[in-house]
């Protein structure tokens, strides 16, 4: 077990009260659990972050999901179906974590389909060829892993535990993507071109997944203090670039950035300026697929209402009998 | 009538000799469907795994300082397992 | 393994216990003799495997179409599980068909050749699997009818003289029993839910029921395979199908139409236009890159 909170005398000397208890728990790298007292702003921040994350998993099923029925081999079909199914599962783990904070899944869904809550902007880009499935696995899931591994140590217990499950499964997602790309790169010229084209389209949006630069990030400082977040956006982005460059080399693809080069002095890769106006555009709802993604989710939710009602009505009848 | 399905807490015993461990929650219209959904979601339908589902409203809880145990995910389909994919040794960080 | 530190727990190496369900994966054909048994007609065995394999493949496709459209997220996961199981069965059966149809290994068609490079008329699935999805009730009732029938077939197929078919059936029985159960639970909830859901469920039964006659028509290949102790005569599972479906429908307060006379259609390659549409989508990428590996 972790060290206890110390002797009775030591405890008596510490500041008392719920707020102090909360601060101490976070400072000791222990987890905040659902029934603990927590600042309202902490709760609100956690709900927002977990809900956005859950929405991203659910909306993120769509770009790849449309390729399940068209997957060109049965093995790829099974892998892709399992992967997209995992994303539904991840969404559920996360909604489950959000519900421990008093949020209600149906309310969160209502916020998603009315555009009041956001999801990762990466899923507002279209998937144009089957190679996109591989590149999403490699780059998008790779970026997600960079973002998410530190969240396994997030100060909020249910979120951290959900992230552990999710990160394990994400590792399978990234590997299947990379393996698909390796297969395509060994294939025909047309297949290799598909891969390079997909890399060209997904590289920059993947870098944007880490959010705005630290200088412009409004939430980072408080989130770091509460240990909701463990690294800044720019730190994680740099880590992702440094990881991706040798992977791209091994694959034989070119990352579409003429400014990308090793900087021996920094011990990191330098890379070109990200088009932040594009990120802003996509976040604010003006990406290529924003309307479609939300419309699909809304239709599924609304078309399913009668099914959910039927099951609830049946349960009520059974209870009455 | 409340159209939202109630919340259930899910407890799983991953294998014989272990306790049931809380793994999360889900929503279901009734106990039977809750059990099925739990099996699909939290065990990916692994057989021989014992599952309990409890309506969240029926749980009486104590104080906050408890430490919830940790639970690891399943791997009933081979392609869910990272080592299924043959990635060369020289590719880092995959 | 330490239970108070989640991160520590995932970092522990070589600790099998940290995987709740282990890391071993079961190969359904492990230890099974894959040689075609003496005296079994290879052509008939191949055709028979295609029939059962195509049923699973096309049914799986229709369930895959639900992805991102399911009425609740829990059901998203459940339907994907069913689709994955059936896809797995299809792969084993198509691979077996490829082995059976050609004794020479190099010349054999693999599962992907058979899935992606046959035209609609060469598919042997029953029409019940190919008609387009309707609403959720339609898909649930279809799954009830299909899995009730398939479970009865697979249950008997476990005694097949072909050890591969027997092994595939043994694996499939567990899966399809789960599918049938899932469909039955939902049929009851929709039938005995709201007036609206009842009407939808009854409409689905009425629409799909005419396709059930085909489940009990006996194709020459099925007859010969049954006589040889390799396959199952589908006319023999009718009583089980009727008993199960009538019980579920009655519990669901739904009316079961009169039994349909047996007939042949999909088993002879006679399909609705919906199959060609389905295949045009399913085969589009594979056919755009002939000879490519994925």
């Amino acid at each position: 077990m972790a060290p206890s909170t110390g002797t009775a005398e030591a405890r008596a000397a510490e500041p008392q009260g719920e707020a102090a208890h909360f601060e101490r728990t976070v400072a000791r790298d222990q987890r905040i659990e659902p029934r603990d007292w927590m600042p309202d702003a902490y709760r609100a921040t956690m709900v927002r972050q977990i809900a956005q994350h859950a929405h991203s998993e659910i909306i993120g099923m769509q770009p790849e999901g449309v390729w399940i029925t068209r997957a060109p081999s049965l093995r790829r079909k099974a892998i892709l179906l399992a992967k997209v199914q995992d994303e539904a599962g991840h969404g559920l783990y996360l909604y489950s974590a959000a519900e421990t904070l008093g949020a209600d899944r149906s309310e969160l869904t209502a916020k998603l389909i009315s555009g009041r809550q956001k999801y990762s902007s990466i899923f507002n880009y279209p998937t144009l060829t089957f190679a996109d499935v591989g590149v999403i696995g490699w780059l998008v899931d790779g970026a997600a892993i960079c973002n998410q591994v530190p969240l396994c140590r997030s100060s909020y217990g249910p979120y951290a535990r959900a992230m552990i499950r999710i990160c394990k499964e994400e590792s399978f997602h990234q590997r299947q993507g990379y393996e698909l790309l390796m297969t395509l790169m060994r294939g025909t010229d047309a297949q290799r071109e598909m891969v390079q084209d997909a890399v060209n389209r997904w590289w920059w949006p993947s870098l944007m997944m880490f959010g705005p630069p630290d200088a412009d990030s409004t939430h980072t400082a408080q989130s770091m203090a509460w240990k909701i977040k463990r690294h800044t956006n720019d730190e994680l982005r740099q880590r992702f670039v440094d990881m991706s460059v040798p992977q791209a080399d091994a694959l034989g693809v070119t990352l579409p950035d003429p400014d990308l080069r090793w900087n021996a002095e920094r011990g990191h890769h330098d890379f070109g300026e990200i088009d932040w106006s594009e990120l802003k555009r996509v976040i604010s709802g003006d990406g290529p697929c924003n309307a479609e993604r939300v419309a699909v989710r809304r239709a599924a939710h609304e078309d399913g209402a009668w099914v959910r009602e039927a099951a609830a009505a049946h349960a009520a009848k059974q209870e009455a009998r | 009538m409340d159209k939202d399905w109630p919340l259930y807490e899910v407890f799983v015993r991953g294998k014989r000799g272990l306790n049931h461990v809380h793994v999360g929650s889900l929503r279901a219209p009734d106990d039977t469907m809750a059990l099925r959904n739990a099996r699909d979601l939290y065990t990916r339908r692994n057989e021989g795994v014992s599952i309990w589902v409890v309506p969240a409203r029926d749980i009486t809880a104590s104080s906050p300082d408890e430490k919830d145990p940790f639970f690891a995910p399943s791997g009933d389909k081979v392609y869910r397992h990272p080592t299924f994919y043959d990635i060369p040794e020289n590719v880092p960080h995959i | 393994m330490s239970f108070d530190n989640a991160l520590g727990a995932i970092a522990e190496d070589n600790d099998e216990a940290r995987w709740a369900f282990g890391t071993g994966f079961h190969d359904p054909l492990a230890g099974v003799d894959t040689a075609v048994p003496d005296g079994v007609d290879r052509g008939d065995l191949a055709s028979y495997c295609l029939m059962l394999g195509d049923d699973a493949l096309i049914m799986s496709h229709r369930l895959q179409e639900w992805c991102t459209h399911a009425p609740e997220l829990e059901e998203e996961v459940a339907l994907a599980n069913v689709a994955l199981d059936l896809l797995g069965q299809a792969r084993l059966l198509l691979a077996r068909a490829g082995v059976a149809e050609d004794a020479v290994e190099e010349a054999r068609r693999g599962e992907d050749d058979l899935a992606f490079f046959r035209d609609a008329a060469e598919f042997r699935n029953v029409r019940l699997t190919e008609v387009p999805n309707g609403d959720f009730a339609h898909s649930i009732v279809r799954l009830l009818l299909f899995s009730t029938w398939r479970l009865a077939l697979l249950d008997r197929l476990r005694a097949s003289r072909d050890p591969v078919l027997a092994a595939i059936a043994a694996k499939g029985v567990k899966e399809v029993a789960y599918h049938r159960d899932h469909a039955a639970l939902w049929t009851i909830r929709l039938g005995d839910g709201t007036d609206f859901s009842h009407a939808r469920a009854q409409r689905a039964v009425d629409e799909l029921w005419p396709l059930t006659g085909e489940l009990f028509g006996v194709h020459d290949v099925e007859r010969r395979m049954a006589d040889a102790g390799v396959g199952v005569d589908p006319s023999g599972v009718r009583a089980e199908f009727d008993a199960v479906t009538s019980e579920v429908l009655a519990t669901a307060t739904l009316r079961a139409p009169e039994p349909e006379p047996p007939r042949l259609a999909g088993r002879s390659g006679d399909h609705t236009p919906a199959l060609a549409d389905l295949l045009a989508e399913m085969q589009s990428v594979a056919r755009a890159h002939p000879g490519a590996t994925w």
Side-chain angles (χ1 to χ4, degrees):
Chain A
M1 295 295 288
S4 78
T5 47
T7 63
E9 302 83 79
R11 254 190 315 233
E14 288 171 340
Q16 293 302 306
E18 290 168 324
H21 183 267
F22 172 86
E23 297 295 342
R24 265 203 310 279
T25 307
V26 172
R28 287 186 181 126
D29 248 344
Q30 292 180 331
R31 301 288 168 267
I32 301 298
E33 294 297 343
R35 291 178 198 92
D36 290 345
W37 181 90
M38 62 189 87
D40 289 347
Y42 177 90
R43 185 184 297 274
T45 302
M46 279 324 303
V47 169
R48 193 191 65 234
Q49 182 174 336
I50 298 173
Q52 280 190 17
H53 194 163
H55 297 332
S56 299
E57 295 283 355
I58 299 303
I59 295 289
M61 296 168 69
Q62 291 181 34
E64 294 174 280
V66 295
W67 288 96
I68 294 171
T69 55
R70 290 179 283 171
S73 81
L74 296 183
R75 176 172 177 269
R76 291 291 169 203
K77 190 187 286 283
I79 290 168
L80 184 56
L81 180 53
K83 188 197 164 186
V84 174
Q85 182 198 35
D86 274 353
E87 285 157 7
H90 294 177
L92 279 167
Y93 303 156
L94 290 163
Y95 284 126
S96 161
E99 296 206 83
T100 64
L101 289 159
D104 185 273
R105 197 209 299 177
S106 62
E107 282 167 22
L108 298 177
T109 302
K111 284 182 179 162
L112 169 66
I113 62 181
S114 61
R116 281 175 292 150
Q117 266 179 354
K118 306 232 178 283
Y119 52 88
S120 177
S121 58
I122 192 81
F123 301 119
N124 289 320
Y125 292 87
T127 44
L128 302 183
T129 72
F130 195 72
D132 288 33
V133 169
V135 172
I136 287 178
W138 173 39
L139 293 179
V140 176
D141 295 331
I145 290 172
C146 278
N147 264 330
Q148 291 173 358
V149 164
L151 296 178
C152 296
R153 293 167 59 224
S154 164
S155 61
Y156 188 59
Y159 188 41
R161 289 190 289 276
M163 290 317 307
I164 290 169
R165 289 177 68 97
I166 289 170
C167 283
K168 286 186 175 186
E169 294 181 353
E170 289 288 348
S171 160
F172 135 70
H173 294 177
Q174 196 194 15
R175 291 179 75 94
Q176 66 82 29
Y178 198 80
E179 190 215 43
L180 169 57
L181 296 179
M182 287 200 312
T183 308
L184 299 186
M185 291 304 286
R186 285 194 297 262
T188 64
D189 288 346
Q191 287 176 305
R192 273 188 291 278
E193 280 165 30
M194 281 167 68
V195 174
Q196 184 62 57
D197 168 64
V199 169
N200 292 347
R201 285 181 287 110
W202 289 95
W203 172 249
W204 289 105
S206 300
L207 294 186
M208 295 179 200
M209 285 176 70
F210 297 93
D214 293 347
D216 303 347
S217 181
T218 44
H219 302 308
T220 296
Q222 180 63 78
S223 290
M224 300 272 283
W226 278 335
K227 298 187 183 175
I228 291 171
K229 230 179 135 146
R230 295 278 179 163
H231 304 279
T232 70
N233 295 351
D234 286 336
E235 283 169 10
L236 292 167
R237 190 166 13 244
Q238 182 69 59
R239 182 180 303 178
F240 174 69
V241 171
D242 290 341
M243 278 169 59
S244 298
V245 168
Q247 292 169 357
D249 288 344
L251 206 51
V253 297
T254 308
L255 297 173
D257 179 357
D259 298 326
L260 185 64
R261 64 179 59 84
W262 177 249
N263 181 331
E265 211 168 292
R266 288 204 305 128
H268 292 290
H269 292 85
D270 292 337
F271 53 98
E273 184 66 22
I274 293 170
D275 179 0
W276 296 115
S277 63
E278 176 179 329
L279 178 64
K280 234 172 240 163
R281 228 175 18 252
V282 178
I283 286 181
S284 64
D286 205 16
C289 303
N290 295 54
E292 177 192 338
R293 300 290 185 237
V294 172
V296 166
R297 183 72 196 105
R298 181 189 299 125
H301 187 69
E302 290 174 357
D303 293 349
W306 69 272
V307 175
R308 298 191 298 275
E309 282 166 26
H314 178 78
K317 281 185 196 177
Q318 288 296 101
E319 210 153 305
R321 273 168 198 162
Chain B
M1 189 188 61
D2 182 10
K3 302 289 196 298
D4 282 345
W5 293 350
L7 193 66
Y8 282 82
E9 298 296 335
V10 181
F11 301 79
V12 169
R13 177 168 64 205
K15 57 184 188 185
R16 287 179 187 284
L18 297 182
N19 287 320
H20 283 77
V21 168
H22 181 241
V23 294
S25 64
L26 50 75
R27 289 188 175 268
D30 54 57
D31 299 354
T32 309
M33 294 303 282
L35 206 47
R36 287 191 76 83
N37 290 343
R39 190 167 283 282
D40 277 334
L41 179 62
Y42 287 104
T43 78
R44 296 296 155 80
R45 250 184 46 207
N46 202 298
E47 287 173 31
V49 177
S50 168
I51 301 173
W52 294 343
V53 291
V54 187
R57 62 170 180 267
D58 291 346
I59 291 181
T60 309
S62 72
S63 63
D65 263 332
E66 73 230 324
K67 281 188 172 24
D68 289 21
F70 155 70
F71 178 75
S74 78
D76 77 318
K77 296 273 195 287
V78 67
Y79 37 78
R80 289 194 194 288
H81 197 259
T83 55
F84 176 58
Y85 300 97
D86 183 24
I87 306 283
E89 290 288 321
N90 58 3
V91 178
H93 303 302
I94 288 254
Chain C
M1 122 177 192
S2 110
F3 270 97
D4 65 320
N5 182 341
L7 250 196
I10 59 168
E12 282 167 28
D13 288 330
N14 303 319
D15 178 7
E16 192 66 4
R18 76 193 173 93
W19 294 102
F21 311 112
T23 52
F25 298 101
H26 181 64
D27 174 5
L29 299 183
V32 174
D33 181 1
T34 56
V36 174
D38 288 342
V40 172
D41 185 283
R42 299 189 81 103
D44 276 357
L45 178 60
S47 298
Y48 186 66
C49 290
L50 284 183
M51 291 173 177
L52 297 179
D54 288 346
D55 285 341
L57 182 63
I58 302 304
M59 188 70 186
S60 176
H61 184 99
R62 288 301 184 206
L63 291 164
Q64 290 157 31
E65 290 177 335
W66 271 100
C67 182
T68 73
H69 303 291
E72 187 51 283
L73 295 176
E74 282 83 355
E75 193 58 20
E76 195 74 67
V77 177
L79 291 176
N81 264 336
V82 178
L84 271 171
D85 286 342
L86 290 173
L87 182 56
Q89 292 176 21
R91 293 180 65 187
L92 292 168
L93 286 160
L94 293 189
R96 186 58 172 165
V99 169
E101 75 178 359
D102 210 316
V104 185
E105 198 172 334
E106 292 72 32
R108 271 175 203 161
R109 292 191 287 181
E111 58 178 43
D112 290 334
D113 298 312
L114 290 166
F116 297 102
F117 293 93
R118 279 182 301 152
D119 293 332
E122 299 167 86
F123 273 74
R124 292 292 175 263
N125 57 286
V126 293
R127 289 179 169 195
L128 176 67
T129 61
E130 75 196 30
V131 293
N133 284 335
D135 59 13
F136 184 69
H138 186 275
S139 287
I140 285 297
V141 170
R142 173 181 6 214
L143 185 61
L144 175 71
L145 301 175
F146 176 76
S147 51
T148 301
W149 171 66
R150 189 173 181 85
L151 179 58
L153 289 180
L154 293 183
D155 184 37
R156 288 156 181 77
L157 195 62
R158 285 189 291 183
S160 172
R161 267 190 61 213
D162 177 17
V164 174
L165 268 183
I168 295 170
K171 175 173 188 285
V173 159
K174 293 184 208 154
E175 295 169 344
V176 178
Y178 197 85
H179 306 169
R180 187 182 75 172
D181 206 35
H182 188 76
L185 288 173
W186 265 118
T187 301
I188 291 165
R189 278 153 186 75
L190 297 179
D192 187 29
T194 61
D195 290 348
F196 185 81
S197 70
H198 178 86
R200 291 221 168 179
Q202 187 64 58
R203 185 179 71 187
V205 172
D206 294 343
E207 273 179 21
L208 289 162
W209 198 260
L211 295 168
T212 57
E214 206 188 327
L215 306 181
F216 309 105
V218 188
H219 190 276
D220 288 343
V221 165
E222 290 172 304
R223 189 184 323 277
R224 288 197 296 270
M225 284 284 94
D227 290 346
V230 174
V232 177
D233 177 350
S235 65
V237 305
R238 179 145 211 169
E240 180 176 332
F241 176 88
D242 287 343
V244 172
T245 53
S246 63
E247 188 187 333
V248 172
L249 293 178
T251 310
T253 72
L254 295 167
R255 181 177 38 81
E258 289 300 305
E260 291 282 327
R263 56 190 294 255
L264 286 175
R267 287 285 188 253
S268 317
D270 178 11
H271 294 285
T272 65
L275 181 64
D277 293 345
L278 180 157
L279 294 179
E281 178 176 336
M282 184 179 97
Q283 299 173 335
S284 58
V285 179
R287 290 195 176 197
H289 300 267
T293 303
W294 303 91

